[in-house]
Amino acid sequence: RTGHRDKAAATLATLGGPLALSCLTRALASTSLHIPAQKALMEHGAQAGDAVIRLLQDPGTPRQVALRALHIVQEARLAGAVPVLLAHLERGRLSQVLLAKGLGIIGDDRAQRPLLALLESPFAEVRRAALGALEPMVDARAVQPIIDLLRDRDHGIKLGAVKLLGKLSARSAVPQLARLARGKDTPLARAAAEALWRAADPASADTLIALLNHTDRQVRRLAAQGLAAIGPAPGLEVKLRRQCEALVRAQPLATCLHALGGVLRAKPGSSQTRSYLLGLLGSSDTEAFLGALHALAGMAHADIPSHLISRYPGLDAEAKLQLVQALGSLSLAGEQPQGLLLKLLKDPTPALRAAAALSLGLQRAVTARQPLKAATHDPHWMVRVNSTAALALLADPADRDLFKVLAISRIPAVRANALLGLARSGISGAASILVRSLARDRYPWARLNALRGLLQHGFTQARLAHGDQVYKDAPSLLAAMASHDM
């Protein structure tokens, strides 16, 4: 019976020893026994490693049995088998595709050079397998062979090569990537734009600026991120501003403005750029308004806060909300924005009160602690959530008792933010609350913040809300929580 065979094979693998392993490796050649034997050897690869490797090494091993042994080596990630697999690559007895996949799963650096040689294979499936196998071990030595694949006729290979070049942040590939990013093939354009972003090469700036007018939204966003990664290179601010001025479609303009803000993050920018962005705050185009607001909030110039605040009274309700949210990310805040935000904590509109509370936290406005503590009792749940989040950002140890009370709130997000506050401000006397929240709270973000506190300050034992198992160390607790909460 299958169940008895599985148990017998598993027992033999657990026992180990020459006789048991010899029995299991011989069973790989059996029509009826190879499946339980293979399963047992895969699950107990560490004990069975030498026996399986010898089986692969023996030239007299039947091909079908050798393939089963290769599967075991792959599943058990037996690094000791790498020289044998490389020898098989040279002899050509086993499938190059399967060998390449096995070497990739094991991820041993010794396989990089042979796998690079496979990139020149006349067979697309071999090139594809070799490229995929290279990913865990790829380094700068592989850049040029991978660049050569950008001329491959196989679309999947070309796409995989672009992604690997992005992983390598390969600046030497910028000209080829720029050509693909400007092309009409959307998947390739997206991958190439991301690779250019990761390379962060000033030589790609003109291409990235041109991509801000691309028809695909993701390509535009990646181009904006790429420009922000390059930073304030000479002449880049002027070129980028002129591109924004030339754009007429709303969404490309918004992305261009975000790119401009990314390039000038924590920088004052020129007077022309500031005037251009401030002028857009009066635009009836929502996308242009939001893009300019985002850019200005990130720039570090002493006049920007007062300019933003002066526009507040003349804005409609939605624009006011957006401006209040932007005040939280101001590079230079000072007392004036905090004064407006404190005043807005008493505004009749709950959304404005909530936005003001969070912005005060993001600005680390320590003078706002008492008003924020009062806001945790606001009639509207959204204000309670954001004021608790703001206090958690301030992380004042004097607020621990308040966090303990808020950690049992009926509002899930309030509980989560309060637990984050306990984690950030020190958990003296609060460890039991964090342990209880981890074990009982059904809200995943509350469990996550309880976990943060326990990992930061240590714990003796803990349980999770979805089971009764007790965890006494961080790795097992993390593994269990990751499998449940993704």
Side-chain angles (χ1 to χ4, degrees), residues 231-290:
L236 182 55
E237 177 188 346
V238 174
K239 289 181 180 178
L240 193 46
R241 187 184 72 241
R242 287 175 178 169
Q243 172 75 332
C244 295
E245 290 170 339
L247 293 172
V248 292
R249 289 188 297 142
Q251 291 183 342
L253 174 57
T255 308
C256 187
L257 294 170
H258 275 73
L260 187 56
V263 168
L264 295 177
R265 181 74 185 171
K267 303 291 180 185
S270 66
S271 58
Q272 295 95 325
T273 298
R274 292 195 301 276
S275 297
Y276 166 65
L277 292 171
L278 288 167
L280 289 175
L281 291 184
S283 172
S284 58
D285 186 326
T286 303
E287 297 283 353
F289 169 82
L290 292 176

Side-chain angles (χ1 to χ4, degrees), residues 148-414:
D148 294 340
L149 287 181
L150 297 180
R151 299 191 300 268
D152 202 285
R153 289 174 294 181
D154 186 282
H155 184 271
I157 292 174
K158 194 182 297 185
L159 185 59
V162 172
K163 290 179 178 179
L164 268 188
L165 289 169
K167 181 179 179 180
L168 289 166
S169 302
R171 290 192 170 188
S172 58
V174 163
Q176 294 89 338
L177 293 171
R179 175 177 54 81
L180 292 173
R182 292 173 182 263
K184 295 181 179 180
D185 187 313
T186 300
L188 276 176
R190 288 176 177 176
E194 183 171 352
L196 290 172
W197 159 40
R198 296 187 184 282
D201 187 355
S204 66
D206 289 344
T207 296
L208 292 170
I209 289 173
L211 291 178
L212 293 172
N213 198 27
H214 198 278
T215 55
D216 183 76
R217 181 183 180 186
Q218 188 172 335
V219 171
R220 296 197 302 270
R221 292 178 65 182
L222 288 165
Q225 290 173 307
L227 288 163
I230 291 171
L236 182 55
E237 177 188 346
V238 174
K239 289 181 180 178
L240 193 46
R241 187 184 72 241
R242 287 175 178 169
Q243 172 75 332
C244 295
E245 290 170 339
L247 293 172
V248 292
R249 289 188 297 142
Q251 291 183 342
L253 174 57
T255 308
C256 187
L257 294 170
H258 275 73
L260 187 56
V263 168
L264 295 177
R265 181 74 185 171
K267 303 291 180 185
S270 66
S271 58
Q272 295 95 325
T273 298
R274 292 195 301 276
S275 297
Y276 166 65
L277 292 171
L278 288 167
L280 289 175
L281 291 184
S283 172
S284 58
D285 186 326
T286 303
E287 297 283 353
F289 169 82
L290 292 176
L293 186 60
H294 166 84
L296 286 163
M299 292 167 62
H301 190 273
D303 291 343
I304 289 175
S306 59
H307 278 297
L308 293 181
I309 292 169
S310 68
R311 302 296 176 103
Y312 180 83
L315 299 175
D316 61 31
E318 181 59 31
K320 283 182 177 179
L321 179 61
Q322 297 291 344
L323 190 142
V324 171
Q325 291 171 344
L327 291 178
S329 59
L330 276 174
S331 289
L332 293 176
E335 296 180 3
Q336 192 178 8
Q338 291 179 15
L340 173 63
L341 294 172
L342 284 167
K343 182 180 178 181
L344 290 174
L345 282 180
K346 299 180 180 179
D347 193 273
T349 307
L352 280 174
R353 297 200 302 274
L358 186 57
S359 288
L360 285 165
L362 292 170
Q363 284 294 332
R364 304 299 194 270
V366 293
T367 56
R369 267 187 63 239
Q370 293 306 320
L372 286 170
K373 289 170 73 172
T376 61
H377 302 289
D378 192 276
H380 199 281
W381 66 270
M382 184 166 44
V383 183
R384 296 188 201 180
V385 170
N386 281 9
S387 56
T388 309
L391 289 169
L393 290 169
L394 295 176
D396 193 314
D399 291 331
R400 286 180 194 151
D401 289 340
L402 175 62
F403 288 138
K404 291 176 187 178
V405 173
L406 294 173
I408 55 174
S409 168
R410 289 180 296 177
I411 304 171
V414 169

